[in-house]
Coordinates of all heavy atoms in Angstrom, one line a residue:
T1 N 157.3 -65.4 -125.0 CA 157.2 -66.3 -126.1 C 157.9 -67.6 -125.7 O 158.8 -67.7 -124.9 CB 157.9 -65.7 -127.3 OG1 159.2 -65.4 -127.0 CG2 157.2 -64.5 -127.8
V2 N 157.4 -68.7 -126.4 CA 157.8 -70.0 -126.0 C 158.5 -70.7 -127.2 O 157.9 -70.6 -128.3 CB 156.6 -70.9 -125.5 CG1 157.0 -72.3 -125.3 CG2 156.0 -70.2 -124.3
A3 N 159.5 -71.4 -127.0 CA 160.1 -72.3 -128.0 C 159.5 -73.7 -127.9 O 159.3 -74.1 -126.8 CB 161.6 -72.3 -127.9
V4 N 159.3 -74.4 -129.0 CA 158.7 -75.7 -129.0 C 159.7 -76.7 -129.6 O 160.3 -76.4 -130.7 CB 157.4 -75.7 -129.8 CG1 156.8 -77.1 -129.9 CG2 156.4 -74.7 -129.2
L5 N 159.9 -77.8 -129.0 CA 160.8 -78.8 -129.5 C 160.1 -79.5 -130.8 O 159.0 -80.1 -130.7 CB 161.0 -79.9 -128.5 CG 161.9 -81.1 -129.0 CD1 163.3 -80.6 -129.4 CD2 162.0 -82.1 -127.9
E6 N 160.7 -79.3 -131.9 CA 160.2 -79.8 -133.2 C 160.7 -81.2 -133.4 O 159.9 -82.1 -133.9 CB 160.6 -78.9 -134.4 CG 159.8 -77.6 -134.4 CD 158.4 -77.7 -134.9 OE1 158.2 -78.5 -135.8 OE2 157.6 -77.0 -134.3
R7 N 162.0 -81.4 -133.2 CA 162.6 -82.7 -133.6 C 163.9 -82.9 -132.8 O 164.7 -82.0 -132.6 CB 162.8 -82.7 -135.1 CG 163.5 -83.9 -135.6 CD 163.5 -84.0 -137.1 NE 164.1 -82.8 -137.7 CZ 164.2 -82.6 -139.0 NH1 163.6 -83.4 -139.8 NH2 164.7 -81.5 -139.5
V8 N 164.1 -84.2 -132.4 CA 165.4 -84.6 -131.9 C 166.2 -85.2 -133.0 O 165.6 -86.0 -133.8 CB 165.2 -85.6 -130.7 CG1 166.5 -86.1 -130.2 CG2 164.4 -85.0 -129.6
V9 N 167.5 -84.9 -133.1 CA 168.3 -85.4 -134.1 C 169.4 -86.2 -133.5 O 170.2 -85.7 -132.6 CB 168.9 -84.3 -135.0 CG1 169.8 -85.0 -136.1 CG2 167.8 -83.5 -135.7
L10 N 169.5 -87.5 -133.8 CA 170.6 -88.4 -133.2 C 171.5 -88.8 -134.3 O 171.1 -89.1 -135.5 CB 169.9 -89.7 -132.7 CG 169.0 -89.6 -131.5 CD1 168.4 -90.9 -131.1 CD2 169.6 -88.9 -130.3
R11 N 172.8 -88.8 -134.0 CA 173.8 -89.3 -134.9 C 174.1 -90.8 -134.5 O 174.1 -91.1 -133.3 CB 175.0 -88.5 -135.0 CG 175.8 -88.4 -133.7 CD 177.0 -87.4 -133.7 NE 177.5 -87.3 -132.4 CZ 177.1 -86.4 -131.5 NH1 176.1 -85.6 -131.8 NH2 177.6 -86.3 -130.3
T12 N 174.4 -91.6 -135.5 CA 174.7 -93.0 -135.3 C 175.6 -93.6 -136.3 O 175.4 -93.2 -137.5 CB 173.4 -93.8 -135.2 OG1 173.7 -95.2 -134.9 CG2 172.5 -93.8 -136.4
A13 N 176.4 -94.5 -136.0 CA 177.3 -95.2 -136.9 C 176.5 -96.4 -137.5 O 177.0 -97.0 -138.4 CB 178.6 -95.6 -136.3
D14 N 175.4 -96.8 -136.8 CA 174.6 -98.0 -137.2 C 173.2 -97.6 -137.5 O 172.3 -97.7 -136.6 CB 174.7 -99.0 -136.1 CG 173.9 -100.3 -136.4 OD1 173.4 -100.4 -137.6 OD2 173.8 -101.1 -135.5
L15 N 172.9 -97.0 -138.7 CA 171.6 -96.5 -139.0 C 170.6 -97.6 -139.0 O 169.5 -97.4 -138.4 CB 171.6 -95.8 -140.4 CG 170.4 -95.1 -140.8 CD1 170.0 -94.0 -139.8 CD2 170.5 -94.5 -142.2
D16 N 170.9 -98.8 -139.5 CA 169.9 -99.9 -139.5 C 169.6 -100.3 -138.1 O 168.4 -100.6 -137.8 CB 170.5 -101.1 -140.3 CG 170.6 -100.8 -141.8 OD1 169.9 -99.9 -142.3 OD2 171.4 -101.5 -142.5
G17 N 170.5 -100.4 -137.3 CA 170.3 -100.8 -135.9 C 169.4 -99.7 -135.1 O 168.5 -100.1 -134.4
A18 N 169.7 -98.5 -135.4 CA 168.9 -97.4 -134.8 C 167.5 -97.4 -135.3 O 166.6 -97.2 -134.5 CB 169.6 -96.0 -135.0
V19 N 167.3 -97.6 -136.6 CA 165.9 -97.7 -137.1 C 165.2 -98.9 -136.5 O 164.0 -98.8 -136.2 CB 166.0 -97.8 -138.6 CG1 164.6 -98.1 -139.2 CG2 166.5 -96.4 -139.2
A20 N 165.9 -100.0 -136.4 CA 165.3 -101.2 -135.8 C 164.8 -100.9 -134.3 O 163.8 -101.3 -133.9 CB 166.2 -102.4 -135.8
F21 N 165.6 -100.2 -133.6 CA 165.3 -99.9 -132.2 C 164.2 -98.9 -132.1 O 163.1 -99.2 -131.5 CB 166.5 -99.3 -131.4 CG 166.2 -99.0 -130.0 CD1 166.1 -99.9 -129.1 CD2 166.1 -97.6 -129.7 CE1 165.8 -99.6 -127.8 CE2 165.8 -97.3 -128.4 CZ 165.6 -98.3 -127.4
F22 N 164.3 -97.7 -132.7 CA 163.3 -96.7 -132.6 C 162.1 -96.9 -133.4 O 161.0 -96.6 -133.0 CB 163.9 -95.3 -133.0 CG 164.9 -94.8 -132.0 CD1 166.3 -94.9 -132.2 CD2 164.5 -94.2 -130.8 CE1 167.2 -94.4 -131.3 CE2 165.4 -93.7 -129.9 CZ 166.7 -93.8 -130.1
G23 N 162.2 -97.6 -134.6 CA 161.1 -97.9 -135.4 C 160.4 -99.2 -135.0 O 159.2 -99.2 -135.0
G24 N 161.2 -100.2 -134.7 CA 160.6 -101.5 -134.4 C 160.2 -101.5 -132.9 O 159.0 -101.6 -132.6
L25 N 161.1 -101.5 -132.0 CA 160.9 -101.7 -130.6 C 160.0 -100.5 -130.0 O 159.1 -100.8 -129.3 CB 162.2 -101.8 -129.8 CG 162.1 -102.1 -128.4 CD1 161.4 -103.5 -128.1 CD2 163.4 -102.1 -127.7
L26 N 160.3 -99.3 -130.4 CA 159.6 -98.1 -129.9 C 158.5 -97.7 -130.8 O 157.9 -96.6 -130.6 CB 160.6 -97.0 -129.6 CG 161.6 -97.3 -128.5 CD1 162.5 -96.1 -128.3 CD2 161.0 -97.8 -127.2
E27 N 158.2 -98.4 -131.9 CA 157.1 -98.2 -132.8 C 157.0 -96.9 -133.4 O 155.9 -96.3 -133.6 CB 155.8 -98.5 -132.0 CG 155.7 -99.9 -131.5 CD 154.4 -100.3 -130.8 OE1 153.6 -99.4 -130.5 OE2 154.3 -101.5 -130.5
G28 N 158.2 -96.3 -133.8 CA 158.1 -95.1 -134.6 C 157.8 -95.4 -136.1 O 158.1 -96.5 -136.6
H29 N 157.1 -94.5 -136.7 CA 156.7 -94.7 -138.1 C 157.6 -94.0 -139.0 O 157.8 -92.8 -138.9 CB 155.2 -94.3 -138.3 CG 154.3 -95.0 -137.4 ND1 153.8 -96.3 -137.7 CD2 153.7 -94.7 -136.2 CE1 153.0 -96.7 -136.7 NE2 152.9 -95.7 -135.8
E30 N 158.1 -94.6 -140.0 CA 159.1 -94.0 -140.9 C 158.3 -93.1 -141.9 O 157.4 -93.4 -142.6 CB 159.7 -95.1 -141.8 CG 161.0 -94.7 -142.5 CD 161.7 -95.8 -143.1 OE1 162.2 -96.7 -142.4 OE2 161.8 -95.8 -144.4
E31 N 158.7 -91.8 -141.8 CA 158.1 -90.8 -142.6 C 158.9 -90.5 -143.9 O 158.4 -90.2 -144.9 CB 157.9 -89.5 -141.8 CG 157.2 -88.4 -142.6 CD 157.0 -87.2 -141.7 OE1 157.9 -86.4 -141.5 OE2 155.8 -87.0 -141.3
H32 N 160.2 -90.6 -143.7 CA 161.1 -90.3 -144.9 C 162.4 -91.1 -144.6 O 162.9 -91.2 -143.5 CB 161.4 -88.8 -145.0 CG 162.5 -88.5 -146.0 ND1 162.2 -88.4 -147.3 CD2 163.8 -88.2 -145.9 CE1 163.3 -88.1 -148.0 NE2 164.3 -88.0 -147.1
A33 N 163.0 -91.6 -145.7 CA 164.3 -92.3 -145.6 C 165.2 -92.0 -146.8 O 164.7 -91.8 -147.9 CB 164.1 -93.8 -145.5
A34 N 166.4 -91.8 -146.5 CA 167.4 -91.6 -147.5 C 168.7 -92.5 -147.1 O 168.7 -93.1 -146.1 CB 167.8 -90.1 -147.6
R35 N 169.7 -92.4 -148.0 CA 170.9 -93.2 -147.7 C 171.5 -92.9 -146.4 O 172.0 -93.8 -145.7 CB 171.9 -93.0 -148.8 CG 173.2 -93.8 -148.7 CD 174.2 -93.5 -149.8 NE 174.5 -92.1 -149.8 CZ 175.4 -91.5 -149.0 NH1 175.9 -92.2 -148.0 NH2 175.6 -90.2 -149.1
D36 N 171.5 -91.6 -146.0 CA 172.2 -91.2 -144.8 C 171.3 -90.7 -143.6 O 171.9 -90.3 -142.6 CB 173.2 -90.1 -145.2 CG 172.5 -88.8 -145.7 OD1 171.3 -88.9 -146.0 OD2 173.1 -87.8 -145.8
H37 N 170.0 -90.8 -143.7 CA 169.2 -90.5 -142.6 C 167.8 -91.1 -142.7 O 167.4 -91.5 -143.8 CB 169.0 -88.9 -142.5 CG 168.3 -88.3 -143.6 ND1 168.8 -87.9 -144.7 CD2 167.0 -88.0 -143.7 CE1 167.9 -87.4 -145.5 NE2 166.7 -87.4 -144.9
V38 N 167.1 -91.2 -141.6 CA 165.7 -91.6 -141.6 C 164.9 -90.7 -140.6 O 165.4 -90.4 -139.5 CB 165.6 -93.1 -141.1 CG1 164.2 -93.6 -140.9 CG2 166.3 -94.0 -142.1
E39 N 163.7 -90.4 -141.0 CA 162.8 -89.6 -140.2 C 161.7 -90.5 -139.6 O 161.1 -91.2 -140.4 CB 162.2 -88.5 -141.0 CG 163.1 -87.5 -141.6 CD 163.3 -86.2 -140.8 OE1 162.6 -86.0 -139.9 OE2 164.2 -85.5 -141.2
L40 N 161.6 -90.5 -138.3 CA 160.5 -91.2 -137.7 C 159.6 -90.3 -136.9 O 160.0 -89.3 -136.4 CB 161.1 -92.2 -136.7 CG 162.1 -93.3 -137.2 CD1 162.8 -94.0 -136.1 CD2 161.3 -94.3 -138.1
V41 N 158.3 -90.7 -136.9 CA 157.3 -89.9 -136.2 C 156.4 -90.8 -135.3 O 156.4 -92.1 -135.5 CB 156.3 -89.1 -137.2 CG1 157.1 -88.1 -137.9 CG2 155.6 -90.1 -138.1
W42 N 155.8 -90.3 -134.3 CA 154.9 -91.0 -133.4 C 153.6 -90.2 -133.3 O 153.6 -89.0 -133.4 CB 155.6 -91.1 -132.0 CG 156.6 -92.1 -131.9 CD1 156.5 -93.4 -131.4 CD2 158.0 -92.0 -132.2 NE1 157.7 -94.1 -131.5 CE2 158.6 -93.2 -132.0 CE3 158.8 -91.0 -132.8 CZ2 160.0 -93.4 -132.2 CZ3 160.1 -91.2 -133.0 CH2 160.7 -92.4 -132.7
P43 N 152.5 -90.9 -133.0 CA 151.3 -90.2 -132.7 C 151.5 -89.2 -131.6 O 152.2 -89.5 -130.6 CB 150.3 -91.4 -132.3 CG 150.9 -92.6 -132.8 CD 152.4 -92.4 -132.8
G44 N 150.9 -88.1 -131.7 CA 151.0 -87.0 -130.7 C 152.1 -86.0 -131.0 O 152.3 -85.1 -130.3
G45 N 152.8 -86.3 -132.1 CA 153.8 -85.3 -132.6 C 155.2 -85.5 -132.3 O 156.1 -84.7 -132.7
G46 N 155.6 -86.6 -131.7 CA 157.0 -86.9 -131.5 C 157.7 -87.1 -132.9 O 157.2 -87.8 -133.7
R47 N 158.9 -86.5 -133.0 CA 159.7 -86.6 -134.3 C 161.1 -86.8 -133.9 O 161.7 -86.2 -133.1 CB 159.6 -85.3 -135.1 CG 158.2 -84.9 -135.4 CD 158.1 -83.7 -136.3 NE 158.7 -84.0 -137.6 CZ 158.0 -84.6 -138.6 NH1 156.8 -85.0 -138.4 NH2 158.6 -84.8 -139.8
L48 N 161.7 -87.8 -134.7 CA 163.1 -88.1 -134.5 C 163.8 -88.3 -135.9 O 163.2 -88.9 -136.8 CB 163.3 -89.4 -133.8 CG 164.6 -90.0 -133.6 CD1 165.5 -89.2 -132.6 CD2 164.5 -91.4 -133.0
R49 N 165.0 -87.7 -136.0 CA 165.8 -87.9 -137.3 C 167.0 -88.6 -136.8 O 167.8 -88.2 -135.9 CB 166.1 -86.5 -137.9 CG 167.0 -86.7 -139.1 CD 167.3 -85.3 -139.7 NE 168.2 -85.3 -140.7 CZ 168.0 -85.1 -142.0 NH1 166.8 -84.8 -142.4 NH2 168.9 -85.1 -142.9
L50 N 167.3 -89.7 -137.5 CA 168.5 -90.5 -137.3 C 169.4 -90.2 -138.4 O 169.1 -90.4 -139.6 CB 168.2 -92.0 -137.2 CG 167.2 -92.4 -136.2 CD1 166.7 -93.8 -136.4 CD2 167.8 -92.3 -134.8
E51 N 170.7 -89.8 -138.1 CA 171.7 -89.4 -139.2 C 172.8 -90.4 -139.1 O 173.4 -90.5 -138.0 CB 172.1 -88.0 -139.0 CG 171.0 -87.0 -139.3 CD 171.5 -85.5 -139.2 OE1 172.6 -85.3 -138.7 OE2 170.7 -84.7 -139.6
A52 N 173.2 -91.0 -140.2 CA 174.3 -91.9 -140.2 C 175.6 -91.1 -140.3 O 175.8 -90.4 -141.3 CB 174.2 -92.8 -141.4
R53 N 176.4 -91.1 -139.3 CA 177.7 -90.4 -139.3 C 178.7 -91.2 -138.4 O 178.3 -91.8 -137.4 CB 177.6 -89.0 -138.7 CG 176.8 -88.1 -139.7 CD 177.0 -86.7 -139.3 NE 176.0 -86.3 -138.4 CZ 176.1 -85.4 -137.5 NH1 177.2 -84.7 -137.4 NH2 175.1 -85.0 -136.7
D54 N 179.9 -91.1 -138.8 CA 181.0 -91.7 -138.0 C 181.2 -90.9 -136.6 O 180.7 -89.8 -136.5 CB 182.3 -91.7 -138.7 CG 182.3 -92.6 -139.9 OD1 181.6 -93.6 -139.9 OD2 183.1 -92.3 -140.9
G55 N 181.8 -91.6 -135.7 CA 182.0 -91.0 -134.4 C 181.0 -91.5 -133.4 O 180.2 -92.4 -133.7
P56 N 181.0 -90.9 -132.2 CA 180.1 -91.4 -131.1 C 178.7 -91.2 -131.5 O 178.3 -90.1 -132.0 CB 180.6 -90.6 -129.9 CG 181.3 -89.4 -130.4 CD 181.9 -89.8 -131.8
S57 N 177.9 -92.1 -131.1 CA 176.4 -92.0 -131.3 C 175.8 -91.2 -130.2 O 176.3 -91.2 -129.1 CB 175.8 -93.4 -131.3 OG 176.2 -94.1 -132.5
G58 N 174.7 -90.5 -130.4 CA 174.0 -89.7 -129.4 C 173.3 -88.6 -130.0 O 173.2 -88.4 -131.2
I59 N 172.8 -87.7 -129.1 CA 172.1 -86.5 -129.5 C 173.0 -85.6 -130.2 O 174.0 -85.2 -129.7 CB 171.4 -85.8 -128.3 CG1 170.3 -86.8 -127.7 CG2 170.7 -84.5 -128.8 CD1 169.8 -86.2 -126.4
D60 N 172.7 -85.2 -131.4 CA 173.4 -84.2 -132.2 C 172.9 -82.8 -131.9 O 173.6 -81.9 -131.7 CB 173.4 -84.5 -133.7 CG 174.3 -83.6 -134.5 OD1 175.5 -83.6 -134.3 OD2 173.7 -82.7 -135.2
R61 N 171.5 -82.7 -132.0 CA 170.9 -81.4 -131.8 C 169.4 -81.6 -131.6 O 168.8 -82.6 -131.9 CB 171.1 -80.5 -133.0 CG 170.5 -81.0 -134.3 CD 170.9 -80.2 -135.5 NE 170.3 -80.7 -136.7 CZ 170.7 -81.7 -137.5 NH1 171.8 -82.3 -137.1 NH2 170.1 -82.1 -138.6
L62 N 168.9 -80.5 -131.0 CA 167.4 -80.4 -130.7 C 167.0 -79.3 -131.6 O 167.5 -78.2 -131.5 CB 167.1 -80.2 -129.3 CG 167.7 -81.2 -128.3 CD1 167.4 -80.8 -126.9 CD2 167.0 -82.6 -128.6
E63 N 166.0 -79.5 -132.5 CA 165.5 -78.5 -133.4 C 164.3 -77.9 -132.8 O 163.3 -78.6 -132.4 CB 165.2 -79.1 -134.7 CG 166.5 -79.5 -135.4 CD 166.3 -80.1 -136.8 OE1 165.2 -80.4 -137.2 OE2 167.4 -80.3 -137.4
L64 N 164.3 -76.5 -132.6 CA 163.2 -75.8 -131.9 C 162.5 -74.9 -132.9 O 163.1 -74.3 -133.8 CB 163.8 -74.9 -130.8 CG 164.7 -75.7 -129.8 CD1 165.3 -74.6 -128.8 CD2 163.9 -76.7 -129.0
A65 N 161.2 -74.7 -132.7 CA 160.4 -73.7 -133.4 C 160.1 -72.6 -132.4 O 159.8 -72.9 -131.3 CB 159.1 -74.3 -133.9
G66 N 160.3 -71.4 -132.8 CA 160.0 -70.3 -131.9 C 161.2 -69.4 -131.9 O 162.1 -69.5 -132.6
P67 N 161.2 -68.5 -130.9 CA 162.2 -67.5 -130.8 C 163.6 -67.9 -130.2 O 164.4 -67.0 -130.0 CB 161.5 -66.4 -129.9 CG 160.7 -67.2 -129.0 CD 160.2 -68.4 -129.9
A68 N 163.8 -69.1 -129.8 CA 165.0 -69.5 -129.1 C 166.2 -69.3 -130.0 O 166.2 -69.8 -131.1 CB 164.9 -70.9 -128.6
P69 N 167.2 -68.7 -129.6 CA 168.5 -68.5 -130.4 C 169.3 -69.8 -130.3 O 169.1 -70.6 -129.4 CB 169.2 -67.4 -129.6 CG 168.8 -67.5 -128.2 CD 167.3 -68.0 -128.3
A70 N 170.1 -70.1 -131.4 CA 170.9 -71.2 -131.4 C 171.9 -71.1 -130.3 O 172.4 -70.1 -130.0 CB 171.6 -71.3 -132.8
R71 N 172.2 -72.3 -129.7 CA 173.2 -72.3 -128.6 C 173.6 -73.8 -128.3 O 172.9 -74.7 -128.8 CB 172.6 -71.7 -127.3 CG 171.4 -72.5 -126.7 CD 170.8 -71.8 -125.6 NE 169.7 -71.1 -126.1 CZ 168.8 -70.5 -125.4 NH1 168.9 -70.4 -124.1 NH2 167.7 -69.9 -125.9
V72 N 174.6 -73.9 -127.5 CA 175.0 -75.3 -127.1 C 174.9 -75.3 -125.6 O 175.5 -74.4 -124.9 CB 176.5 -75.6 -127.5 CG1 177.0 -76.9 -127.0 CG2 176.6 -75.5 -129.1
L73 N 174.2 -76.3 -125.1 CA 174.1 -76.5 -123.6 C 174.4 -78.0 -123.3 O 173.9 -78.9 -123.9 CB 172.7 -76.2 -123.2 CG 172.2 -74.8 -123.3 CD1 170.7 -74.7 -123.0 CD2 172.9 -73.9 -122.3
A74 N 175.3 -78.2 -122.4 CA 175.7 -79.5 -122.0 C 176.1 -80.4 -123.2 O 175.8 -81.6 -123.3 CB 174.6 -80.2 -121.2
G75 N 176.8 -79.8 -124.2 CA 177.2 -80.5 -125.3 C 176.2 -80.8 -126.4 O 176.5 -81.4 -127.4
T76 N 175.0 -80.3 -126.2 CA 173.9 -80.5 -127.2 C 173.6 -79.2 -127.9 O 173.4 -78.2 -127.2 CB 172.6 -81.0 -126.5 OG1 173.0 -82.3 -125.9 CG2 171.5 -81.3 -127.5
C77 N 173.5 -79.2 -129.2 CA 173.1 -78.0 -130.0 C 171.6 -77.8 -130.0 O 170.9 -78.8 -130.2 CB 173.6 -78.1 -131.4 SG 175.4 -78.2 -131.6
F78 N 171.2 -76.6 -129.7 CA 169.8 -76.2 -129.9 C 169.7 -75.3 -131.1 O 170.4 -74.2 -131.1 CB 169.3 -75.5 -128.6 CG 169.2 -76.4 -127.4 CD1 170.3 -76.7 -126.7 CD2 168.0 -76.9 -127.0 CE1 170.2 -77.6 -125.6 CE2 167.9 -77.7 -125.9 CZ 169.0 -78.1 -125.2
V79 N 169.0 -75.6 -132.1 CA 168.9 -74.8 -133.3 C 167.5 -74.6 -133.7 O 166.6 -75.4 -133.4 CB 169.7 -75.4 -134.5 CG1 171.2 -75.6 -134.1 CG2 169.1 -76.8 -134.9
G80 N 167.2 -73.6 -134.6 CA 165.9 -73.4 -135.1 C 165.6 -74.4 -136.2 O 166.5 -74.9 -136.9
A81 N 164.4 -74.9 -136.2 CA 164.0 -75.9 -137.2 C 163.7 -75.4 -138.5 O 163.4 -74.2 -138.7 CB 162.8 -76.7 -136.7

C-alpha cells in the first residue's frame, strides 16, 4: 500500500507575505482563507496550507492519505490528512 502526499502545511509569522509569494509569484490559487490560515492549490493537485503562527517559519507537517502512521522525520511531522 502507498501513502500519498495530500498537502504541505507551512507555519509563518507573516501570512500576507507568504500568500504574496506562494499565491502571487508561484501562482497558487486561493481555495480558502481565514484569519489564521490560507489554503492554496495548483493545477495537477498541489496543495499548500499556510498557517499564521509565532516562531520560526517553515514546514510544520506533511499530510498524507493512505496507511502511513503519524511520525516525525528530520523535524517534520507526517500525519494522516
